Amino acid sequence: MAFNPLNWFLGFFSLDIGIDLGTANTLVNVRGKGIVIHEPSWVAIDKKTRKPLAVGAEAKQMVGRTPANIIAVRPVRDGVIAEYEITQEMLIYFIGKAHEQSIVPMPRPRVVIGIPCGVTEVEKRAVYDAAMSAGARETYLIEEPVAAALGAGLPISEIRGSMIVDIGGGTSEVAILSMGGIVISRSLRVAGDEMDADIVQYMRNKYNLLIGERMAEIAKIQIGSAYHLPEEKTITLRGRNLVTGLPEEIEVSSVEIREAISGSLQTIIDTIKDALDEAPPEIIADLMDTGICLSGGGSQLLGLDRRLTDELKIRAWLADDPLSSVARGAGMVLENLDQFNRLLVGLERGSTKHN
């Protein structure tokens, strides 16, 4: 192929961006700089015009406090795009924010975005089109567990087997990898959001107290656990009493929060067991040496690694900075696109690369 000075210029100076477009949080990894953006996947919009008024952390602060003409929404649900136009605006905001950190104006960037395993072609196309409309020059898709495994430093290119469990806000991804490919994978739409909903329902049923999702999330983060704690904790939850209609606050313990999320947690554990049940015995032998790597925000639940180790009889361990594993893995793909090209997900009609 003949040398093209324009392509060389764009390739040399272009901004390469890896994006973890998560249900709860969006992370942006810029080549050479690392994680530059880590914000909630929230957008506040005007009801009439549908124009975004705030994105990210600022929009999340508005949840439950907006006037009638403004709504705060999460455009990504269960790991896939639920609101296409709002997702596009959110990507425009994050890509633009990444550009602002450059010393000189850059051409349109190359982008790698993580997607859950098992998504439909329509869902893949929605992510691809949203990124291209947001200003990407080239867009590539990669399955989230593969990106998470790369970001966690697992030797997925080697013959021996590796296992990753990525628990996010909307989905839990389970994958066993070997020789640069997925041997077995499971994608489950039970994760952090489902645990928050469990806590809301538990407080409603047991105490007739209606709390918000943000309050439930705070309880999960501060005192939620998957295993009994050496010293159980308590937290005060505030909401509305459904009997009197008046404000009320109730102190609950980590034992109660553990009971509330037990159903969702067991579903995730059963899915991991199901994946292990299908794994070849040689890979099981490898996993007994390497263990199971946990990534994603949900993996930081207190005692989860210990609970999995006890139930699965295989050591479970937490990746370094588990929240950013997918974004870091996506960035690694862009740094050496030729080496990792076979890990990218194609679309039925056309390539994931925009020509």
Side-chain angles (χ1 to χ4, degrees):
M1 185 173 65
F3 173 73
N4 187 323
L6 177 61
N7 286 343
W8 176 86
F9 176 84
L10 291 174
F12 187 80
F13 289 102
S14 69
L15 197 67
D16 288 346
I17 299 175
I19 299 178
D20 177 7
L21 187 63
T23 303
N25 297 284
T26 296
L27 285 81
V28 178
N29 182 0
V30 174
R31 187 176 68 172
K33 294 185 178 181
I35 306 295
V36 297
I37 296 171
H38 181 177
E39 293 198 37
S41 301
W42 283 92
V43 181
I45 61 171
D46 186 290
K47 268 188 177 181
K48 291 183 179 179
T49 64
R50 304 289 289 178
K51 294 295 183 183
L53 303 175
V55 180
E58 184 182 355
K60 187 175 182 179
Q61 290 177 354
M62 299 180 182
V63 176
R65 301 184 176 98
T66 56
N69 63 316
I70 298 173
I71 55 172
V73 298
R74 286 200 296 183
V76 179
R77 285 282 179 181
D78 297 330
V80 296
I81 292 176
E83 299 274 359
Y84 176 80
E85 291 180 357
I86 301 175
T87 302
Q88 180 182 323
E89 293 291 342
M90 186 171 72
L91 284 172
I92 289 172
Y93 169 81
F94 287 133
I95 291 175
K97 197 170 180 180
H99 268 287
E100 288 174 5
Q101 301 189 30
S102 301
I103 299 174
V104 294
M106 295 286 186
R108 297 170 67 190
R110 296 190 304 176
V111 175
V112 168
I113 301 181
I115 58 171
C117 287
V119 297
T120 66
E121 289 297 321
V122 172
E123 290 165 341
K124 291 179 192 175
R125 177 62 65 177
V127 174
Y128 172 79
D129 289 344
M132 296 304 298
S133 300
R137 175 167 57 93
E138 297 173 8
T139 299
Y140 304 89
L141 307 180
I142 185 170
E143 291 173 315
E144 285 179 355
V146 176
L150 282 172
L154 295 184
I156 65 172
S157 298
E158 296 182 8
I159 295 176
R160 61 176 173 157
S162 302
M163 188 170 187
I164 185 87
V165 176
D166 182 48
I167 305 174
T171 61
S172 295
E173 307 284 329
V174 180
I176 297 175
L177 307 106
S178 177
M179 299 174 64
I182 293 179
V183 179
I184 294 165
S185 68
R186 295 285 186 276
S187 184
L188 181 68
R189 296 192 176 185
V190 175
D193 286 353
E194 195 74 18
M195 295 181 197
D196 297 342
D198 289 342
I199 295 171
V200 171
Q201 192 62 41
Y202 181 89
M203 295 300 295
R204 187 185 188 113
N205 293 342
K206 186 170 182 178
Y207 294 107
N208 286 318
L209 184 72
L210 179 63
I211 64 172
E213 288 184 3
R214 287 193 65 195
M215 183 66 70
E217 183 184 22
I218 290 170
K220 178 189 67 180
I221 292 171
Q222 291 189 5
I223 68 169
S225 64
Y227 205 83
H228 62 80
L229 303 175
E231 184 178 343
E232 300 293 350
K233 305 176 181 180
T234 61
I235 190 172
T236 300
L237 299 183
R238 298 172 177 175
R240 185 176 75 245
N241 187 297
L242 292 169
V243 177
T244 65
L246 299 175
E248 185 178 359
E249 60 180 31
I250 292 177
E251 187 176 65
V252 297
S253 69
S254 52
V255 176
E256 292 175 290
I257 299 299
R258 188 160 61 245
E259 180 185 344
I261 65 175
S262 61
S264 295
L265 198 56
Q266 192 59 51
T267 301
I268 295 171
I269 293 171
D270 289 342
T271 301
I272 300 171
K273 287 180 178 178
D274 182 53
L276 287 170
D277 187 50
E278 289 193 21
E282 290 83 1
I283 285 184
I284 292 294
D286 293 337
L287 296 180
M288 292 180 75
D289 288 332
T290 60
I292 299 171
C293 179
L294 306 179
S295 72
S299 68
Q300 297 179 105
L301 187 69
L302 292 174
L304 180 58
D305 52 351
R306 188 176 173 188
R307 170 84 178 271
L308 289 175
T309 300
D310 281 1
E311 291 211 19
L312 303 176
K313 311 302 180 188
I314 297 176
R315 179 178 63 93
W317 52 279
L318 196 62
D320 293 335
D321 193 9
L323 268 171
S324 66
S325 293
V326 173
R328 284 186 285 118
M332 290 172 64
V333 170
L334 276 173
E335 287 176 8
N336 202 333
L337 204 54
D338 292 337
Q339 178 184 346
F340 295 118
N341 186 60
R342 59 198 178 100
L343 301 178
L344 300 173
V345 177
L347 298 175
E348 282 187 352
R349 293 191 300 275
S351 164
T352 54
K353 179 177 177 179
H354 181 73
N355 296 315

